[in-house]
């Protein structure tokens, strides 16, 4: 899920800081998501999908691909 978050974020033209702000987390959390060191909390996945402009299922499809 990590690298895909970064790719999706960049496609939307959103900075890591902006994604963190929209998600209500600190910038290091976004860095950890994108490097695969941490996963977003399950409760945050619907908001993450919304901000990145994808369906929530696409986050999982990408993670298992």
């Amino acid at each position: 899920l990590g690298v895909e978050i970064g790719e999706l974020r960049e496609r939307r033209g959103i900075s890591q800081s902006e994604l963190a702000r929209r998600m209500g987390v600190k910038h290091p959390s976004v860095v950890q998501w994108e490097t695969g060191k941490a996963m977003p909390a399950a409760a945050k996945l619907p908001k993450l999908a919304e901000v990145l402009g994808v369906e929530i299922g696409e986050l999982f499809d990408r993670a298992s691909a």
Side-chain angles (χ1 to χ4, degrees), residues 5-63:
I5 291 174
E7 291 173 3
L8 292 168
R9 176 185 56 73
E10 289 175 1
R11 264 192 237 149
R12 298 282 290 178
I14 301 169
S15 68
Q16 288 180 333
S17 296
E18 177 65 11
L19 180 58
R21 186 188 67 75
R22 290 189 190 184
M23 292 298 299
V25 299
K26 295 182 178 177
H27 181 262
S29 295
V30 172
V31 173
Q32 288 183 333
W33 297 346
E34 292 188 4
T35 60
K37 292 181 179 175
M39 295 285 291
K44 292 201 176 286
L45 293 176
K47 178 70 175 176
L48 180 62
E50 176 188 325
V51 171
L52 296 176
V54 297
E55 297 291 325
I56 193 166
E58 292 179 67
L59 295 174
F60 294 107
D61 292 344
R62 291 172 149 299

